[in-house]
Amino acid sequence: MGKTTILIASAFVWPYMHNPKGRSKKTGLPPGTLIHVGIARTEKARVSVIDYDTERLLEKELVDVTECIDLRDRPTVTWVNVDGIHDTALLQKIGDCFGLHPLLLEDIANTGQRPKLEEFEGHVYIVIKALVWDDAADRVIEEQISIVLGPNYVLSFQERAGDPFDPIRERIRTNKGRIRKMGSDYLCHSLIDITVDRYFDIVEKIGDHIERLENTLVNNPTPKVLHRINVLKNEMTSVRRSVWPLRDVLSQMQRSDNEFVKEETRLYFRDAYDHTVQIIETVETYRDILAGMLDIYLSSVSNRLNEVMKFLAIVTTVFMPLTLLTGIYGMNFRFMPGLNDPEGFWIILAIMVAVAVGMIAYFKQKKWW
Amino acid sequence: MGKTTILIASAFVWPYMHNPKGRSKKTGLPPGTLIHVGIARTEKARVSVIDYDTERLLEKELVDVTECIDLRDRPTVTWVNVDGIHDTALLQKIGDCFGLHPLLLEDIANTGQRPKLEEFEGHVYIVIKALVWDDAADRVIEEQISIVLGPNYVLSFQERAGDPFDPIRERIRTNKGRIRKMGSDYLCHSLIDITVDRYFDIVEKIGDHIERLENTLVNNPTPKVLHRINVLKNEMTSVRRSVWPLRDVLSQMQRSDNEFVKEETRLYFRDAYDHTVQIIETVETYRDILAGMLDIYLSSVSNRLNEVMKFLAIVTTVFMPLTLLTGIYGMNFRFMPGLNDPEGFWIILAIMVAVAVGMIAYFKQKKWW
Amino acid sequence: MGKTTILIASAFVWPYMHNPKGRSKKTGLPPGTLIHVGIARTEKARVSVIDYDTERLLEKELVDVTECIDLRDRPTVTWVNVDGIHDTALLQKIGDCFGLHPLLLEDIANTGQRPKLEEFEGHVYIVIKALVWDDAADRVIEEQISIVLGPNYVLSFQERAGDPFDPIRERIRTNKGRIRKMGSDYLCHSLIDITVDRYFDIVEKIGDHIERLENTLVNNPTPKVLHRINVLKNEMTSVRRSVWPLRDVLSQMQRSDNEFVKEETRLYFRDAYDHTVQIIETVETYRDILAGMLDIYLSSVSNRLNEVMKFLAIVTTVFMPLTLLTGIYGMNFRFMPGLNDPEGFWIILAIMVAVAVGMIAYFKQKKWW
Amino acid sequence: MGKTTILIASAFVWPYMHNPKGRSKKTGLPPGTLIHVGIARTEKARVSVIDYDTERLLEKELVDVTECIDLRDRPTVTWVNVDGIHDTALLQKIGDCFGLHPLLLEDIANTGQRPKLEEFEGHVYIVIKALVWDDAADRVIEEQISIVLGPNYVLSFQERAGDPFDPIRERIRTNKGRIRKMGSDYLCHSLIDITVDRYFDIVEKIGDHIERLENTLVNNPTPKVLHRINVLKNEMTSVRRSVWPLRDVLSQMQRSDNEFVKEETRLYFRDAYDHTVQIIETVETYRDILAGMLDIYLSSVSNRLNEVMKFLAIVTTVFMPLTLLTGIYGMNFRFMPGLNDPEGFWIILAIMVAVAVGMIAYFKQKKWW
Amino acid sequence: MGKTTILIASAFVWPYMHNPKGRSKKTGLPPGTLIHVGIARTEKARVSVIDYDTERLLEKELVDVTECIDLRDRPTVTWVNVDGIHDTALLQKIGDCFGLHPLLLEDIANTGQRPKLEEFEGHVYIVIKALVWDDAADRVIEEQISIVLGPNYVLSFQERAGDPFDPIRERIRTNKGRIRKMGSDYLCHSLIDITVDRYFDIVEKIGDHIERLENTLVNNPTPKVLHRINVLKNEMTSVRRSVWPLRDVLSQMQRSDNEFVKEETRLYFRDAYDHTVQIIETVETYRDILAGMLDIYLSSVSNRLNEVMKFLAIVTTVFMPLTLLTGIYGMNFRFMPGLNDPEGFWIILAIMVAVAVGMIAYFKQKKWW
């Protein structure tokens, strides 16, 4: 029982991860105040920049953020990636560099955002959620990724150092695919696309868990199974909460009146949009399956009760008449038939066996046994 | 049991708080009749006024409401705050001062409004609900706040004296943030924004309660837990009922055809709108979790029943054969095998122990024990 | 049980009230045939008329309906109120007077309408439902009110004599409020507004019933409670069925392209619209609460079962070992330890007490008792 | 049990009636292939025609379908009614006569259509479902009626000979109502209107069944009741499936851009539309009531179980201590108090009565009895 | 029990069929990378081509794909059918031939698509799902069919060799119906139409299974029935997931702004659209029926429990008093009435029979038996 307790507790703790509690420290402050809301971090924030066009490629790590003013003004595509959003001073500097609105900066620092797209003067602000499967805790972890898409630059902000975008960097370096030939909108698409691809991995992982759970459900329907069903349902909700608004974001990106996305890139956003729809559909299917499993669980509990009760009824019904028989011949009347008969005992025993066999046959026929 | 009864009763009483019963006294009266609907109050209503622009600042408490006619006509931003809406005579005077429609005044005095935005000639009327956590009663309390936004004035009406807007007053006094530089629309935004910020606190508080409930749910699933789940569900409904229509209000405020909100302030209303969406999402997640907890509660009740029944079945099944054996040797037949054998008693006892052990082994193997 | 039976039966009878059964007698008749569908009435129908403008006021009861042709053509506002719609000949005469379409007349006579607004050439036809709490039967009774709004006249049709509109008549007579200064559209609003006001009374009444039910639910969860929950749910459905379409009607009345409602009156319809939204919200809240009460009821039934079973298990478990002990010493072996010991009986009794106390301690510790 | 089995089986068979199984024989055939899908019929199809205007009236049965070409071209309204759609050769001839599209003819012959309106060049095709209460099987039977509305003709196709339209024929013959004065659109309306009127009869019938079921539900909640609830729910679904799309059809008919319906007839279609909305609302109400009845049924099963268990617990608890007492005095100790006392037996009996009475008093006080 | 386990396991495995797991191998690759996602196949892909107009017909199997460039440029309708999409090199060649976008090719190779329609420069891409009933596994199997519709060509891609389109080929060869007279849009319609026709077969098959299940449900409600209900529900979900988006595709095809579909063909797409609506409706009806069956199943489990408990209560209640009686006369008091009476034994037996009969009569009267 001890193990189950811990598991259940952990199962319910996770949603608070996604709704970080620090939000309340902002109550009463004027809008646009730059405060980090999320899990406190101590490591140093890192800023790396890649600047490229079809021919040239520049890649370096920035120590002083103002260096990128220079890159910003060149026609090449500039991608500034920030690992760690707890360093609000750094965010402020980048914001000054690229002319970001205080409200936008505030949102980057607050990890409680939901996926959204907001248009500002000269750039678009996109929030998406990266999902990672934490093998240790056996659950989904959510990370907020902010993307600012300008005419010839992309800024990306991650909660902590990690390598989710490494395949894209690799593609840029090796000039694989069309990424070097296209603009900042395609780079922005690539960042979102790779995040959506990871959703498929998560969904497959959850699918595996459901499959494993099914076998347990049939062979050993313990309360732990119910708890696992609930945990998986919550995980599904978590994925859904990340994907649904992302779908809207992608739908806005492919709309023809979006000035930041070129005609040729629109097709790629439509493709990513399609992927989110596929994920949503799979999530809904899994939710249906989990609901069905809940039904089966509850009904198997009832069935077990039925079986126990049938067993009790059979035992009681078989033994009660036998006990009554012994009771009758245990009475102290002087005159009872057969008392002194040497065969009496054996005759009664034979009758008892006959009664017992008859009862059992009756239950067999009623299919209780 | 006594305690539970009281708790459950109190849990269900609260919704009537939000739908004040006095409403029926208005039946049959012509529309626009000024009657206070809500909890009767005796303290005196207070009117305070702040008048400011970038350079000047005037703050005082009004004794005679007509004083503000003067301020109204100056280009500075005038904020009139009224604590206590039960003084209908005072409301009428203010209404005359600022040319408020009788229907608008009627709505201010009636605390049964839901959040809404209504446009009138020359001003906009906004109703929002402030939520406060009442630690004594351990539940959410709702207060109606009415805001009238004119070209260069804001009127705010609260049910009773309190300091929800003190941080804003402080910002105006200390000239912190951009509040002194912007118009009445930004002041109106600040009033709403601080109210929405408080929703986050409430939601976090409810989240804490859910978390605490989860532990109890697992360790001790009493009917009290079921009751608490219901109370929290009702609290969630309460928050939801305040936030959903507020979202619509904020959506109307940021629409481009709203003449009372300047272009630059629109962004701030979009920000507040986003916050309401976040709150709605958290509320929905909590409702899902509570529904899952209800499932677990109900199923744990069933499981307990199963356990009790298994226990009963085991006890019955172990003792019935033993009792039968004693019954057999309690019969008064003269000739029974072993009756006179000095070891007879011990042999039977040994058989009984063997039967009992066999039964228990059988149940162990069936995993009933 | 007898009482419950009657109650449940009556609880389910009411919906047929709202869907009068006589409808089938119209099958096969051409549309526009004037047939009264509803509860048969014998009392005589009454026609009263009030004709007013800012200065003059004429009030009388009509014997001959054609008298009102005269009033119809004057610029004053003419309000013709008909109590009793079973007199189809009378309806036909009024219809001829004001040029009403046969389909409109048919709808007035058929009480199975749902609230709606229909535009005809030169007038608007509005159906609303008045709700009255019948204290005798302890339930909501529905009455159909038809209103025809013309440029300078209002016709209102009620199912039977009653005084729902008396406060309005009083206001006209005493020239209270703005009713005498405004046109037929404001009169029409007043009729609807007072009906909506009465909904608040009904909803408060149902709220009281729910509150009372809650106490019973906790103290004595009998099947009667379940039945009451169902009755109240049905009452709520009834109110909802009247309010939802009324909301649409009021929304159509305040639309700017409605030529029968003047600009200044539109605000009043918006106010009434708001009230319907408030009622809908309260109804939804009550439905949620009732659903929660159903959960609590069902779970308390399960809990009772659990308690009974625990009790049975305890009793069985305590007595079975004791009975076995007596059985053992009831066996007729010649040689049993202690049989001839004068203390033997008391030693066994002591053992039995010890076993019983041990069992009970065990259950106490398992918190079954 | 035998009876129930048959009833349940029949209850579930019906939906296949509405989704005729023969559909699969069309798989792979080109669209427009004329194949009858539905219940096979052997009787001969009948074609009757009525041709009328305000003054003239011609009514006859057609042997050769080509006769109607003549009537088609006259300005009078021509109504061709076909009883029996299994005669595909006949359908083909009529189709050739009136220039019907192969897809339209295919739909007429296939009874698996859902109500719909399709516009073709020069005519409109309408499918509706007639509902008839089959008293023998105690359930709703569905029949497909196809209507083709042309500028001056109406074709109606029924599955088999019957008289649903006789009242209309009668009205035409006797020149009652406005039918002779109006065009083919009004005739089409009449056909639909009389079908909708019949829905009211069906709904009333089902209402009667629900009412009867309620009484049984309270007095004798057997599984048969559950089955009846399910059957009625399915019937409601059946009605709903016929009415919902019909509502859309009628909504399309009254739209101002429908060229086949004249301005004056539009009002009548609005009236029929209203009726469908009323039916839908009644159906929804009945579904709610049935859902409530299901709750009551399930809970009354639980209550019965509770009662049985309480009874068992009482019996066990009363008899076990008594049996123990007899067991104690059935032990074979030589020295037991009172054994030789002539009053001993009676004293023990008195103690036993006292224990039994005490137990029962205890249960009475716990309100278990 | 062993059999059930296997069945349940297989029941839950199927959804992964539709959401092929290989998707994750695409994570991180640039969009447009051609990778086959689905069940690995080893057989060789086949390309067959039919080229026709009203007069000519050419049919052959292609070895070298570039042969079709020739056909593509002729005004005749060219239908290229590819069996086997795992050969990505082949897909690439065809793509080059007809100028297909890399994203389009990627979607063809990835069997995890949902039905959709995407417009590209010069052609339309349609994904649909063919459903086949796998008799061996007793379940629905899904196959992805991609169709590219150009001005005078149709490309169709199937997952593996099969003959779903054979009837169409036959119609083209024999010049049956209008297929040879019409363009590529009609051919495209035929491909979709025959696939939709097959859905009817599947739905009928599932209907048969439901019918068979109903009989079992009544006669023998085992957990296996619950499992079958769940499997069928999942199958329905599967069909629904294929049909719903297909409906949207067909709705887009018949829209007047679709340049690839000619006016005359639009009618045929409307017809196919109608069929999807019919299927959706049947699916919804079946889901309702399955939900009702679940209710009946669960309630029949409860009823069985009730019966078992009643039986147990009856047996206990009948035997306990009898056993008490024997206990009383088994006590060892010297003086008990009738002990020495030769009739004593028989009198007690008579009393016992009387008690038993009385008890049974009592239960009969309470209708427990």
Side-chain angles (χ1 to χ4, degrees), chain D residues 46-57:
Chain D
R46 261 181 66 232
V47 184
S48 63
V49 68
I50 299 188
D51 189 276
Y52 65 88
D53 62 7
T54 326
E55 274 136 46
R56 276 158 309 177
L57 173 70

Side-chain angles (χ1 to χ4, degrees), chain C residues 134-202:
Chain C
D134 180 346
D135 281 312
D138 223 25
R139 70 167 191 248
V140 171
I141 288 180
E142 217 179 84
E143 197 191 340
Q144 176 164 317
I145 294 179
S146 294
I147 299 172
V148 176
L149 167 61
N152 63 338
Y153 62 85
V154 168
L155 315 181
S156 60
F157 299 85
Q158 305 178 48
E159 281 190 51
R160 55 185 163 174
D163 47 8
F165 297 149
D166 273 1
I168 294 170
R169 274 190 204 95
E170 204 48 40
R171 265 188 258 157
I172 294 175
R173 283 184 206 123
T174 58
N175 200 349
K176 221 172 91 182
R178 73 209 71 208
I179 196 160
R180 287 279 285 277
K181 297 177 202 78
M182 301 186 76
S184 61
D185 52 347
Y186 188 84
L187 174 58
C188 169
H189 164 265
S190 297
L191 298 181
I192 297 176
D193 191 52
I194 205 168
T195 308
V196 172
D197 272 2
R198 291 237 161 70
Y199 287 7
F200 281 104
D201 304 357
I202 296 291

Side-chain angles (χ1 to χ4, degrees), chain B residues 146-186:
Chain B
S146 295
I147 299 172
V148 177
L149 167 61
N152 64 337
Y153 61 86
V154 169
L155 315 181
S156 59
F157 299 84
Q158 305 178 48
E159 282 189 50
R160 54 185 164 174
D163 47 7
F165 297 149
D166 272 3
I168 294 169
R169 274 191 203 95
E170 203 50 38
R171 265 189 258 156
I172 294 175
R173 283 184 205 121
T174 59
N175 200 349
K176 218 171 92 180
R178 74 207 71 209
I179 197 160
R180 288 278 286 276
K181 297 177 202 79
M182 300 186 77
S184 61
D185 52 347
Y186 188 84

Side-chain angles (χ1 to χ4, degrees), chain A residues 5 8 12-13 15-16 19-21 23-24 26-31 101-103 107 112-114 116 118-120 223 226 230 237 241 294 297-298 301 304-305 308-309 311-312 315-316 319-320 322-323 326 329-332 338-342 344-346 348-349 352, chain B residues 167 171 178 186 189 193-194 197-198 200-201 204 207-208 210-211 214-215 218-219 267-268 270-271 274-275 277-278 281-282 285-286 288-289 292-293 295-296 299 302-303 305-306 309-310 312-313 316-317 320-321 324 327-328 330-337 362-363 368:
Chain A
T5 311
I8 292 182
F12 281 116
V13 164
Y16 310 113
N19 307 304
K21 285 186 170 175
R23 183 58 180 77
S24 56
K26 299 192 67 173
T27 304
L29 292 179
H101 194 281
L103 285 177
D107 280 356
Q113 307 300 318
R114 61 199 296 274
K116 65 175 175 180
E118 282 187 348
E119 292 191 29
F120 286 87
L226 175 65
N230 255 293
T237 307
R241 220 172 38 186
L294 189 65
Y297 171 76
L298 290 177
V301 168
R304 290 234 151 180
L305 181 59
V308 170
M309 292 318 298
F311 182 84
L312 178 59
V315 166
T316 307
F319 279 98
M320 277 208 153
L322 306 186
T323 304
T326 65
Y329 271 87
M331 292 194 291
N332 292 321
L339 265 197
N340 299 314
D341 187 338
F345 179 70
W346 301 111
I348 283 293
L349 276 197
M352 282 164 69
Chain B
R171 265 189 258 156
R178 74 207 71 209
Y186 188 84
H189 163 266
D193 191 52
I194 204 167
D197 271 2
R198 291 237 162 70
F200 281 104
D201 304 357
E204 278 187 23
D208 288 349
I210 291 178
E211 205 169 357
E214 280 149 11
N215 296 327
V218 176
N219 301 325
L267 227 52
Y268 290 90
R270 186 172 75 181
D271 190 56
D274 252 31
H275 294 166
V277 174
Q278 282 174 38
E281 192 160 74
T282 310
T285 305
Y286 282 171
D288 274 10
I289 290 176
M293 286 168 74
D295 279 351
I296 289 184
S299 135
S302 293
N303 271 312
L305 181 59
N306 264 12
M309 293 317 298
K310 275 185 198 165
L312 178 59
T316 306
T317 314
M320 278 207 154
L324 179 63
I328 288 173
M331 291 193 293
N332 293 320
F333 289 105
R334 185 154 304 175
F335 310 102
M336 290 199 289
Y362 172 74
F363 287 120
W368 279 19

Side-chain angles (χ1 to χ4, degrees), chain D residues 309-319 360 363 368-369:
Chain D
M309 293 317 298
K310 276 185 198 167
F311 182 85
L312 178 59
I314 290 168
V315 166
T316 307
T317 315
V318 168
F319 280 98
I360 288 168
F363 287 121
W368 278 19
W369 205 339

